[in-house]
Amino acid sequence: MTERTHHDQWLDEEAGPLVPAYALTRGRVLPANKAIDLVAIVTATGGPTPVSLDPEQWMILSLCARATPLADIAAAIDLPLGVVRVLVGDLHEQGLVQVRPPASVSQLPSASILTEVIHGLRAL
């Protein structure tokens, strides 16, 4: 077994250079806009895009040509949700994406309605 050098730990023969996820966010764990939820829907605005974006941000923008859930973006580019949340936050701060909550789900029925249904079913 060969001993790995410090330099070798960041290289993979098939994938090339490996970058730790925290390096993509410069060590940040929260997006600039803390309102970006893990189930948020992200859409690219289609505005002018600065050339200085990281490759991961370019991938996010291309995926968000159509409204895309944050979790789907993370799965598509194979990055942790927290990292994608920070990167999307950066894009949002630059006006390159819109972030909105998912469509609201109707409220659950009240306990009294559920009790009535149970009584009705038992009566059958």
Side-chain angles (χ1 to χ4, degrees), residues 37-72:
D37 194 73
L38 297 178
V39 293
I41 305 298
V42 184
T43 310
T45 60
T49 308
V51 179
S52 62
L53 294 179
D54 294 329
E56 294 79 13
Q57 290 175 314
W58 281 106
M59 287 188 277
I60 291 169
L61 283 177
S62 67
L63 287 168
C64 296
R66 294 180 31 192
T68 308
L70 188 74
D72 290 355

Side-chain angles (χ1 to χ4, degrees):
M1 181 195 266
T2 62
E3 189 175 315
R4 295 183 76 154
T5 65
H6 177 70
H7 178 67
D8 290 340
Q9 72 180 349
W10 302 113
L11 294 175
D12 181 281
E13 290 179 17
E14 294 179 22
L18 299 175
V19 178
Y22 64 84
L24 297 174
T25 64
R26 295 168 190 85
R28 295 172 295 146
V29 294
L30 294 174
N33 179 350
K34 292 177 182 66
I36 297 176
D37 194 73
L38 297 178
V39 293
I41 305 298
V42 184
T43 310
T45 60
T49 308
V51 179
S52 62
L53 294 179
D54 294 329
E56 294 79 13
Q57 290 175 314
W58 281 106
M59 287 188 277
I60 291 169
L61 283 177
S62 67
L63 287 168
C64 296
R66 294 180 31 192
T68 308
L70 188 74
D72 290 355
I73 296 168
I77 64 175
D78 197 27
L79 285 175
L81 273 169
V83 170
V84 173
R85 188 173 172 224
V86 172
L87 295 175
V88 166
D90 293 346
L91 293 171
H92 184 258
E93 288 290 311
Q94 295 177 52
L96 300 173
V97 296
Q98 294 177 339
V99 180
R100 65 175 173 79
S104 62
V105 178
S106 63
Q107 288 192 336
L108 296 174
S110 68
S112 62
I113 291 176
L114 292 174
T115 303
E116 294 280 335
V117 169
I118 290 171
H119 291 304
L121 291 172
R122 286 184 182 155
L124 293 175

